């Protein structure tokens, strides 16, 4: 970028999740300095160093919104006095594979990978209908069983007690689906664990998505 030549650029950043609001506070310090000495400007004038701070919100698994501002830490040719920014991040294509059911080291225990509920609800989303059909087929593959335990889990966004109740409702929603599709309700036990048994870090969207899950154990 004229009047600057090639630059070496470096940055360091940090983010902190506010679970109650599902919002990240983000900050970054970044700068650049000349790869070679220039006859037009001193190294200091050709260097830049600034800091930005802002917020980022994951609207869904594909779209993220972010905005903030910043200021220079070192005055150089390309350092702005102030900076205001806003932006969108959009990820195209599926973020996970098509496999719906994941096994564990216990042959009778598995979890659903792509079962999705409507936001803040125990209603299974329309896109998860195939997942539930795969679930029914998986359970039938075990033949006759003594008990099926359904465990509901949530991420850490929201109040702990609310997540506990929500996990119970979601486990019962799956139980009701199975009951309506020919399984005996007497053999099915639905329990909720809320946010107490995370699989991944709740500090990012991908981790929270893994933690919002339903697990199953078939007892012969």
């Amino acid at each position: 970028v004229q009047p600057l030549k090639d630059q070496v650029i470096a940055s360091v950043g940090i983010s902190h999740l506010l679970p109650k609001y599902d919002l990240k506070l983000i900050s970054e310090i970044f700068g650049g300095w000349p790869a070679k000495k220039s006859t037009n400007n001193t190294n200091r004038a050709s260097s830049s160093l600034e800091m930005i701070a802002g917020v980022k919100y994951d609207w869904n698994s594909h779209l993220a919104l972010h905005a903030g501002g910043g200021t220079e830490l070192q005055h150089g040719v390309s350092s702005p006095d102030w900076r205001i920014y806003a932006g969108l991040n959009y990820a195209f294509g599926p973020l996970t594979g098509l496999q719906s059911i994941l096994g564990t080291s216990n042959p009778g225990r598995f979890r659903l990978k792509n079962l999705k509920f409507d936001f803040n609800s125990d209603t299974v989303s329309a896109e998860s209908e195939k997942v539930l059909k795969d679930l029914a087929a998986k359970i039938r593959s075990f033949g006759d069983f003594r008990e099926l335990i359904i465990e509901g889990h949530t991420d850490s966004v929201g109040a702990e007690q609310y997540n506990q109740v929500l996990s119970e409702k979601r486990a019962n929603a799956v139980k009701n689906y199975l009951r309506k599709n020919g399984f005996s309700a007497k053999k099915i036990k639905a329990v909720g664990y809320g946010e107490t048994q995370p699989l991944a870090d709740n500090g990012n969207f991908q981790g929270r998505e893994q933690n919002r899950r339903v697990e199953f154990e078939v007892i012969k």
Side-chain angles (χ1 to χ4, degrees):
V1 178
Q2 295 298 330
L4 303 179
K5 302 298 183 180
D6 292 343
Q7 293 265 311
V8 177
I9 298 174
S11 70
V12 60
I14 188 171
S15 68
H16 176 70
L17 175 69
L18 300 177
K20 183 178 180 180
Y21 305 102
D22 198 14
L23 195 71
K24 289 179 191 168
L25 303 179
I26 57 176
S27 181
E28 183 180 11
I29 295 176
F30 59 93
W33 58 93
K36 296 180 180 180
K37 289 185 177 182
S38 171
T39 57
N40 296 328
N41 296 294
T42 66
N43 274 7
R44 181 175 177 80
S46 299
S47 300
S48 62
L49 185 66
E50 64 177 292
M51 178 184 73
I52 61 171
V55 295
K56 182 179 180 184
Y57 178 69
D58 292 314
W59 187 266
N60 54 43
S61 59
H62 291 278
L63 180 64
L65 318 175
H66 52 99
T71 184
E72 65 178 12
L73 299 178
Q74 173 183 304
H75 187 67
V77 174
S78 62
S79 296
D81 293 336
W82 299 97
R83 181 192 300 274
I84 297 175
Y85 75 92
L88 302 174
N89 290 111
Y90 190 84
F92 291 90
L95 299 183
T96 56
L98 299 178
Q99 185 180 10
S100 300
I101 298 174
L102 298 178
T104 68
S105 57
N106 180 346
R109 188 174 181 86
F110 57 95
R111 70 176 63 99
L112 295 186
K113 182 178 182 182
N114 293 322
L115 180 64
K116 298 183 184 298
F117 293 88
D118 291 342
F119 177 71
N120 206 25
S121 168
D122 60 345
T123 301
V124 178
S125 65
E127 62 185 291
S128 292
E129 183 66 26
K130 181 182 183 305
V131 177
L132 292 176
K133 290 180 179 179
D134 290 344
L135 167 65
K138 173 72 173 180
I139 295 173
R140 289 192 177 98
S141 71
F142 286 96
D144 191 29
F145 58 86
R146 181 160 50 91
E147 185 178 36
L148 170 66
I149 301 175
I150 305 175
E151 302 174 358
H153 301 266
T154 71
D155 58 30
S156 63
V157 176
E160 183 176 353
Q161 182 56 38
Y162 179 84
N163 286 335
Q164 175 61 39
V165 174
L166 183 61
S167 68
E168 294 169 4
K169 288 182 177 180
R170 288 179 171 177
N172 276 295
V174 177
K175 176 180 178 179
N176 289 335
Y177 173 86
L178 294 174
R179 178 181 57 80
K180 292 177 182 178
N181 284 270
F183 292 89
S184 172
K186 294 181 180 179
K187 292 185 176 183
I188 303 175
K189 177 182 179 181
V191 295
Y193 290 101
E195 60 188 67
T196 62
Q197 297 184 8
L199 287 178
D201 184 4
N202 277 301
N204 57 69
F205 187 92
Q206 291 79 8
R208 295 195 297 277
E209 188 173 51
Q210 289 185 58
N211 294 334
R212 295 190 299 268
R213 68 195 191 277
V214 181
E215 296 194 0
F216 302 84
E217 184 172 5
V218 175
I219 301 175
K220 299 288 284 185

